[in-house]
Amino acid sequence: MPDDGEGETVGEAVGELVGAVGEAVAVAIAAGAATVPVSASMLRAAVATDPTHPRATTIIGELSIHSAEFRRLWARHDVKETVHGRKPFRHPRVGDITLDWDTYPLPGNPGPFLLVYTAEPGTPDAERLQLLASLHATRSRRPAPADDTATRA
């Protein structure tokens, strides 16, 4: 596989993209979400860059085995490159949080993109997102364990 100049092959990038979208489809199916048709068509768009990629065939096979709805949607061959949406999360530290997401294309092939999650200002979701940022910042600022070799001399 060609290298993208950053040490990751295009095949690895496709595998990661397909894996992320495939996971979103599986979560939507498990939750009985109304987003399953859109998620399935987004998976088809992600797979289009390399339809024979091993991770793609594995994910599509697993989803097909476990979901009649996915099999029906996959057979429709709908393709949708969604650039924005809304996604619910359940985080162990802050609970349920729903975020809006947008994608922004970046130069390269097979089409890397930046995925940005935001919350509507002034909402409980925005407060939970701010809490997550604070928790991360606090954890990141913890001092490193002292190296006591200097004090032994």
Side-chain angles (χ1 to χ4, degrees):
M1 280 286 168
D3 192 293
D4 68 0
E6 296 294 321
E8 182 178 88
T9 66
V10 172
E12 289 168 338
V14 169
E16 288 301 313
L17 174 62
V18 168
V21 177
E23 182 180 326
V25 174
V27 168
I29 289 169
T35 59
V36 174
V38 170
S39 298
S41 63
M42 289 173 62
L43 179 59
R44 188 168 284 285
V47 169
T49 58
D50 187 357
T52 61
H53 190 281
R55 190 156 185 198
T57 56
T58 299
I59 289 170
I60 293 163
E62 288 175 7
L63 290 169
S64 296
I65 288 169
H66 298 292
S67 172
E69 181 181 15
F70 178 80
R71 286 191 302 274
R72 181 183 60 76
L73 292 168
W74 194 254
R76 288 178 17 186
H77 296 277
D78 292 342
V79 177
K80 182 170 184 144
E81 291 199 51
T82 303
V83 295
H84 60 86
R86 178 166 273 204
K87 180 168 176 48
F89 295 91
R90 177 162 287 143
H91 192 277
R93 304 278 305 268
V94 299
D96 292 340
I97 181 170
T98 299
L99 300 175
D100 296 319
W101 59 268
D102 294 283
T103 58
Y104 301 94
L106 300 172
N109 191 12
F113 60 91
L114 177 65
L115 175 62
V116 178
Y117 287 101
T118 58
E120 184 71 31
T123 64
D125 291 321
E127 292 172 10
R128 289 182 188 106
L129 188 59
Q130 184 62 45
L131 176 57
L132 274 176
S134 296
L135 290 170
H136 178 72
T138 302
R139 190 177 78 205
S140 297
R141 280 189 248 151
R142 286 188 185 149
D147 181 8
D148 65 350
T149 56
T151 58
R152 290 185 198 162

